């Protein structure tokens, strides 16, 4: 068949140029990873072909022995990586090589700082892939033919602004990548060097990786040649699926390198779990926790990271059914023994076996995290910093495992008064005061606002610990996590506080007197603020601040209300509007005391409004009418100075 050679020159997407530049400059000390990345892609391509061929044997084109070849040519200064995997069509080459289609790419590049050390860390989150070829090559020629398609295409680029695409002929299916090495990279034109890189990075690849080896001529005792010098193919890797080996055959290095392959990451993982589950529904899992969040962790469309295999045949790497969303950062493989090979996506979605595997896999992952928390506190802390906010979705999404997930949670607390979230609910419970039966928390939209919340005053005075919840997700978390260890989680900004048990007789008497003492102030104030509050009462929470706002036990917290407003939710539409907070005043505060003797009604009203607005502000809230606040405050200040 003759194909007309259509050749066109196309420009790289801006992000690709950026990525190439960054890669070439920041990965220089780690050059040899290019081989790992290209071998990893070749192996994925073989996996994809094997899967497609399950339903269409013809795709093998008579060649079902999938393998990867690595050759080099000292004279031409080239290294060639060849696979007989799925290959790519012209459109696919254009989509995959030359464009980065991953969602969130743009935002990722906006985060780059120009500081090479920092950026090269970031690039790890992104994954380097094919473009790493340009770390060592100044020209790359990729020729590929998709299985079952006649037309082949050649892509070529010097890694600068553009690339060419050309229709060519290619007998064998699959992809061949020729790296034209830069001057100075000759060290890679060496069989021993390449072999040792493969051993180090790609030994776990389950396809054979083949290199030619020179075999010397053989001579007999008299020096007559009995066999001529020749080349022999040699498999340089172990070529068995890593997860099928037993643990004691696998080194930490092997585990780490395999992670980099399946996780498309170039940093070591934090921890892993490897286990074979026996029974009627047998499966093997090898799952990892990355050490760093991928750039698209918060992207709704981000891919799930667990690959499904059935008896070593790759099925899909987008198996939502295998991990719940709150564990979407987990990477690795699950290899199911007892599923039929001819599964479709639809079957997967409904499969009882898959859902049983998911249940089991989630347990293993939780076990892995529990183990990390228990035995490697530093690592767990760094895990929490990367993924804590995702784990907090757990109790909402996975009610069955709520108790286990709750134990994994970490918070800031008044015990440490530090922003670092490192207090577990169990820590809290172990420090509860005698007679205390609730776990107290306050929510706010920043650590500073939480730490300085007026609601905390009485708790600090009585020495009762309070959790400081300042992540957005916390409001949702505590709406589904209402109890831990039979103790109710109680917001200190909601309802009456039943701290009476910690009061002395004296305290109680004092409060009765106060209520009488302030009767008129309370009713007058209630009248002034009737549009804003449902009640005004003497506070048992405050020691230093003059006033604070309290919401009803079943009402939305003020912080939640703020989040909803920001998210553009119309309050009345949600049927949640109208619940006004209670206003509490501190009878020991000078300002409040002075109000008892205030004769001027309009000044009384102004001060009441100012106290109300201050209470909103001190919890990090926003005033409905800031200029009215300023106006009233200035009026009072002027009165002082006059
Ligand atoms: P990643 O592997 O992280 O997706 P790459 O830049 O390495 O990113 O590759 C981009 C895409 O190009 C791959 O997802 C795959 O679709 C395609 N690709 C790369 N190498 C090959 C190959 N050897 N055979 C077939 N497709 C490939």
């Amino acid at each position: 068949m003759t194909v007309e050679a259509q050749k066109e020159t196309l420009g790289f997407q801006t992000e690709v140029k950026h990525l190439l530049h960054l890669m070439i400059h920041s990965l220089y000390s780690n050059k040899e990873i290019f081989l790992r990345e290209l071998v990893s892609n070749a192996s994925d391509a073989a996996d994809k072909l094997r899967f497609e061929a399950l339903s269409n044997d013809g795709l093998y084109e008579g060649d079902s022995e999938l393998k990867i070849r690595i050759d080099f040519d000292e004279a031409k200064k080239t290294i060639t990586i060849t696979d007989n995997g799925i290959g790519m069509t012209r459109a696919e080459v254009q989509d995959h090589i030359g464009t980065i289609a991953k969602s969130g790419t743009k935002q990722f590049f906006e985060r780059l700082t120009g500081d090479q050390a920092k950026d090269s860390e970031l690039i790890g989150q992104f994954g380097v892939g094919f473009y790493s070829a340009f770390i060592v090559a100044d020209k790359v020629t990729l020729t590929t033919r998709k299985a079952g398609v006649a037309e082949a295409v050649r892509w070529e680029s010097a890694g600068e602004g553009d690339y060419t695409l050309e229709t060519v002929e290619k007998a064998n299916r699959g992809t061949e990548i020729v790296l034209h090495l830069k001057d100075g990279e000759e060290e890679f034109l060496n069989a021993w060097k390449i072999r040792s890189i493969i051993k180090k990075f790609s030994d776990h690849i389950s396809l054979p990786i083949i290199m030619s080896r020179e075999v010397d001529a053989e001579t007999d005792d008299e020096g007559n040649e009995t066999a001529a010098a020749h080349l022999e193919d040699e498999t340089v890797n172990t070529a068995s699926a890593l997860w099928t080996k037993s643990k004691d055959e696998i080194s930490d290095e092997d585990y780490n390198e395999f992670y980099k392959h399946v996780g498309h990451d170039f940093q070591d993982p934090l921890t892993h779990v490897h286990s074979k589950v026996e029974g009627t529904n047998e499966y093997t899992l090898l799952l990892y926790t990355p050490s760093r969040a991928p750039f698209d962790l918060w992207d709704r469309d981000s891919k799930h990271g667990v690959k499904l295999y059935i008896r070593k045949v790759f099925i899909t790497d987008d198996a939502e059914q295998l991990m719940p969303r709150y564990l979407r950062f987990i990477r690795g493989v699950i290899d199911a023994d007892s599923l039929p090979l001819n599964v479709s996506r639809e079957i997967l979605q409904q499969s009882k076996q898959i859902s049983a595997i998911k249940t089991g896999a989630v347990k293993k992952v939780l076990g892995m995290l529990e183990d990390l928390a228990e035995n490697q506190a530093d690592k767990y802390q760094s895990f929490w910093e990367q993924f804590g906010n995702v784990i907090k979705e757990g109790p909402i999404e996975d009610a069955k495992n709520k108790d286990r997930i709750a134990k994994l949670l970490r918070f800031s607390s008044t015990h440490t008064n530090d922003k670092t979230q490192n207090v577990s609910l169990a820590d809290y419970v172990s420090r509860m005061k005698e007679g205390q039966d609730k776990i107290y928390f306050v929510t706010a939209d920043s650590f500073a606002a939480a730490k300085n919340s007026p609601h905390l005053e009485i708790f600090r005075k009585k020495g009762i610990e309070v959790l400081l919840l300042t992540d957005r997700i916390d409001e949702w978390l505590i709406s589904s996590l209402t109890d831990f260890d039979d103790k109710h989680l109680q917001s200190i900004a909601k309802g009456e506080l039943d701290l009476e048990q910690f009061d002395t007789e004296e305290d109680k008497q004092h409060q009765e007197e106060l209520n009488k003492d302030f009767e008129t102030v309370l009713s007058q104030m209630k009248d002034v603020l009737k549009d804003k509050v449902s009640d005004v009462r003497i506070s048992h929470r405050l020691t230093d601040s003059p006033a604070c706002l309290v919401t009803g036990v079943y009402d939305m917290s003020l912080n939640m209300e703020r989040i909803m407003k920001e998210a553009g939710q119309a309050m009345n539409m949600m049927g949640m509007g109208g619940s006004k907070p209670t206003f509490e005043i501190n009878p020991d505060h000078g300002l409040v005391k002075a109000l008892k003797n205030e004769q001027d009604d309009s000044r009384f009203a102004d001060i009441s409004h100012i106290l109300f607005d201050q209470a909103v502000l001190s919890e990090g809230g926003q005033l409905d009418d800031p200029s009215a606040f300023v106006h009233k405050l200035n009026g009072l200040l002027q009165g002082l100075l006059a």
Side-chain angles (χ1 to χ4, degrees):
M1 194 191 79
T2 54
V3 274
E4 229 176 294
Q6 311 168 358
K7 186 162 181 172
E8 56 181 331
T9 302
L10 297 158
F12 279 126
Q13 184 196 22
T14 323
E15 283 83 9
V16 176
K17 279 191 242 170
H18 211 133
L19 183 66
L20 279 168
H21 182 83
L22 197 68
M23 190 123 47
I24 293 164
H25 292 93
S26 59
L27 294 180
Y28 209 72
S29 55
N30 214 353
K31 292 187 264 196
E32 57 201 24
I33 61 158
F34 77 90
L35 210 50
R36 172 184 78 201
E37 298 296 318
L38 298 178
V39 165
S40 175
N41 281 348
S43 156
D44 288 347
D47 271 351
K48 283 179 203 158
L49 176 66
R50 214 183 272 131
F51 176 63
E52 296 280 322
L54 288 176
S55 53
N56 180 4
D57 207 26
L59 293 177
Y60 280 132
E61 303 175 4
D63 170 22
S64 61
E65 272 183 40
L66 301 180
K67 51 181 180 280
I68 301 168
R69 269 201 81 88
I70 302 179
D71 299 288
F72 64 95
D73 184 323
E74 268 178 292
K76 292 191 187 137
K77 286 193 13 183
T78 58
I79 297 182
T80 303
I81 295 115
T82 314
D83 68 64
N84 57 354
I86 187 88
M88 285 177 271
T89 63
R90 190 182 188 110
E92 282 167 344
V93 172
Q94 212 170 323
D95 281 353
H96 298 320
I97 313 280
T99 338
I100 307 175
K102 295 172 191 164
S103 52
T105 301
K106 207 163 169 209
Q107 291 86 316
F108 170 79
F109 280 98
E110 280 162 8
R111 275 171 43 211
L112 298 178
T113 57
D115 175 335
Q116 237 169 65
K118 276 190 203 137
D119 288 353
S120 56
E121 292 230 326
L122 275 175
I123 199 171
Q125 287 172 276
F126 193 81
V128 283
F130 172 78
Y131 302 105
S132 62
F134 289 99
I135 306 174
V136 294
D138 51 18
K139 187 167 89 178
V140 177
T141 312
L142 173 147
T143 311
T144 184
R145 183 168 71 73
K146 177 113 179 180
V149 173
E151 189 190 87
V153 65
R154 173 165 298 149
W155 176 101
E156 191 165 78
S157 176
E160 275 150 11
D162 49 28
Y163 62 92
T164 57
L165 272 185
E166 178 182 7
T167 306
V168 293
E169 292 206 47
K170 186 174 185 294
N172 301 326
R173 154 205 86 223
T175 304
E176 175 199 277
I177 298 171
V178 183
L179 310 179
H180 307 265
L181 296 187
K182 293 177 189 172
D183 284 340
E185 305 297 354
E186 292 78 7
E187 58 168 320
F188 293 107
L189 300 169
N190 173 307
W192 180 85
K193 174 86 181 173
I194 295 176
R195 261 194 215 109
S196 69
I197 298 174
I198 296 295
K199 268 288 177 202
K200 181 168 164 200
F201 291 131
S202 309
D203 194 51
H204 58 79
I205 293 287
S206 52
L207 302 181
I209 302 172
I210 300 196
M211 286 179 73
S212 293
R213 193 168 64 104
E214 277 176 47
V215 180
D216 291 341
E218 277 174 37
T219 47
D220 62 17
D221 293 344
E222 272 100 62
N224 301 317
E225 195 172 284
T226 51
H230 62 283
L231 290 175
E232 230 172 53
D233 277 355
E234 180 190 42
T235 302
V236 292
N237 62 331
T238 312
S240 73
L242 187 83
W243 62 89
T244 60
K245 296 191 196 172
S246 76
K247 288 185 200 180
D248 45 284
E249 282 177 68
I250 308 175
S251 68
D252 288 346
E253 279 259 274
D254 293 337
Y255 274 123
N256 289 352
E257 290 308 328
F258 183 68
Y259 163 74
K260 292 175 193 171
H261 168 58
V262 288
H264 294 264
D265 191 353
F266 76 58
Q267 282 166 341
D268 286 339
L270 205 58
T271 177
H272 69 260
V273 56
H274 182 190
S275 141
K276 185 168 170 66
V277 179
E278 320 257 344
T280 44
N281 188 13
E282 292 203 343
Y283 59 94
T284 302
L285 57 76
L286 172 51
L287 300 174
Y288 295 88
T289 305
S291 46
R292 193 183 267 278
F295 78 103
D296 57 356
L297 184 65
W298 296 102
D299 203 312
R300 280 261 131 215
D301 309 321
S302 68
K303 270 198 175 182
H304 283 249
V306 175
K307 295 189 183 203
L308 175 67
Y309 284 73
I310 295 177
R311 293 184 292 284
K312 293 197 271 187
V313 176
F314 168 79
I315 305 294
T316 171
D317 57 2
D318 193 20
E320 286 169 45
Q321 300 82 9
L322 290 177
M323 276 290 137
R325 282 215 37 96
Y326 74 98
L327 297 176
R328 60 184 175 274
F329 53 85
I330 296 294
R331 299 285 179 264
V333 301
I334 295 181
D335 190 342
D337 261 359
S338 39
L339 283 167
L341 267 174
N342 57 349
V343 286
S344 65
R345 288 193 75 83
E346 293 68 38
I347 292 178
L348 279 183
Q349 248 147 28
Q350 289 151 15
S351 159
K352 285 215 178 70
Q353 272 166 322
I354 287 282
S355 80
I357 290 176
K358 175 179 176 179
T359 307
V362 167
K363 291 214 166 86
K364 293 284 179 196
V365 170
L366 294 177
M368 158 172 76
L369 297 175
E370 284 158 0
D371 185 58
L372 196 67
E374 226 162 90
N375 301 314
Q376 291 178 280
D378 287 355
K379 278 194 176 180
Y380 190 76
Q381 197 54 39
S382 100
F383 160 77
W384 186 257
E385 271 146 36
Q386 294 291 319
F387 302 108
N389 268 333
V390 187
I391 292 290
K392 283 178 182 174
E393 296 171 12
I396 309 163
E397 184 182 358
D398 187 358
K400 278 202 208 116
N401 287 307
K402 203 190 261 188
D403 291 344
R404 281 182 84 175
I405 303 167
K407 292 193 183 118
L408 293 170
L409 302 173
R410 297 292 181 271
F411 302 100
S412 307
S413 131
T414 53
H415 180 71
T416 51
N417 256 328
D418 191 87
K419 207 172 166 172
T420 314
Q421 298 180 1
N422 58 3
V423 172
S424 70
L425 291 170
D427 293 337
Y428 182 101
V429 169
S430 73
R431 289 191 286 258
M432 279 170 58
K433 294 199 78 126
E434 205 168 306
Q436 183 184 346
D437 59 353
K438 294 196 175 81
I439 296 171
Y440 293 104
F441 66 85
V442 64
T443 58
D445 76 345
S446 72
F447 178 71
K451 194 175 94 173
N452 300 316
S453 166
H455 293 284
L456 284 174
E457 290 169 7
I458 188 69
F459 288 88
R460 289 203 196 275
K461 190 172 158 208
K462 294 191 185 290
I464 301 172
E465 183 172 357
V466 178
L467 300 174
L468 306 172
L469 309 191
T470 56
D471 290 323
R472 284 202 148 209
I473 181 83
D474 289 336
E475 290 283 356
W476 280 271
L477 172 65
I478 45 116
S479 70
S480 85
L481 187 73
T482 49
D483 294 273
F484 175 78
D485 195 11
D486 293 328
K487 285 148 194 94
H488 184 61
L489 269 77
Q490 163 78 46
S491 163
I492 61 166
K494 281 187 177 182
E496 297 266 13
L497 290 178
D498 46 1
L499 294 177
E500 287 83 21
Q501 51 176 321
F502 302 106
D503 286 345
T504 58
E505 269 313 306
E506 235 172 291
D507 287 342
K508 284 178 192 159
Q509 237 174 10
H510 180 59
Q511 271 150 23
E512 265 171 46
E513 286 162 21
L514 287 172
N515 276 330
K516 258 190 228 137
D517 231 18
F518 280 85
E519 224 176 298
T520 9
V521 172
L522 291 174
S523 70
Q524 204 179 338
M525 204 176 261
K526 198 169 162 179
D527 198 44
V528 172
L529 297 174
K530 61 176 178 295
D531 293 338
K532 295 179 174 167
V533 306
S534 61
D535 195 13
V536 182
R537 65 182 180 220
I538 293 288
S539 183
H540 304 300
R541 308 169 200 255
L542 301 173
T543 60
D544 302 328
S545 303
C548 70
L549 289 165
V550 179
T551 48
V553 183
Y554 300 106
D555 289 338
M556 205 190 295
S557 74
L558 294 174
N559 184 48
M560 183 65 161
E561 221 170 283
R562 185 166 50 242
I563 293 174
M564 303 284 268
K565 260 189 205 157
E566 274 169 26
Q569 308 268 15
M571 303 307 283
N572 43 4
M573 259 176 60
M574 314 241 348
M576 291 180 195
S579 59
K580 289 183 227 153
T582 300
F583 192 50
E584 290 193 356
I585 54 173
N586 175 2
D588 297 324
H589 196 279
L591 254 173
V592 176
K593 278 188 194 153
L595 274 180
K596 273 200 297 191
N597 307 318
E598 182 56 62
Q599 304 298 324
D600 181 340
D601 282 356
S602 112
R603 259 169 60 113
F604 184 97
D606 282 354
I607 294 173
S608 300
H609 279 293
I610 288 171
L611 288 178
F612 176 88
D613 286 351
Q614 281 183 347
V616 173
L617 288 175
S618 62
E619 281 186 66
Q622 276 177 3
L623 300 181
D624 286 340
D625 187 354
S627 66
F629 171 71
V630 172
H631 187 74
K632 287 197 182 84
L633 190 60
N634 286 347
L636 285 177
L637 289 174
Q638 249 167 20
L640 273 180
L641 296 173

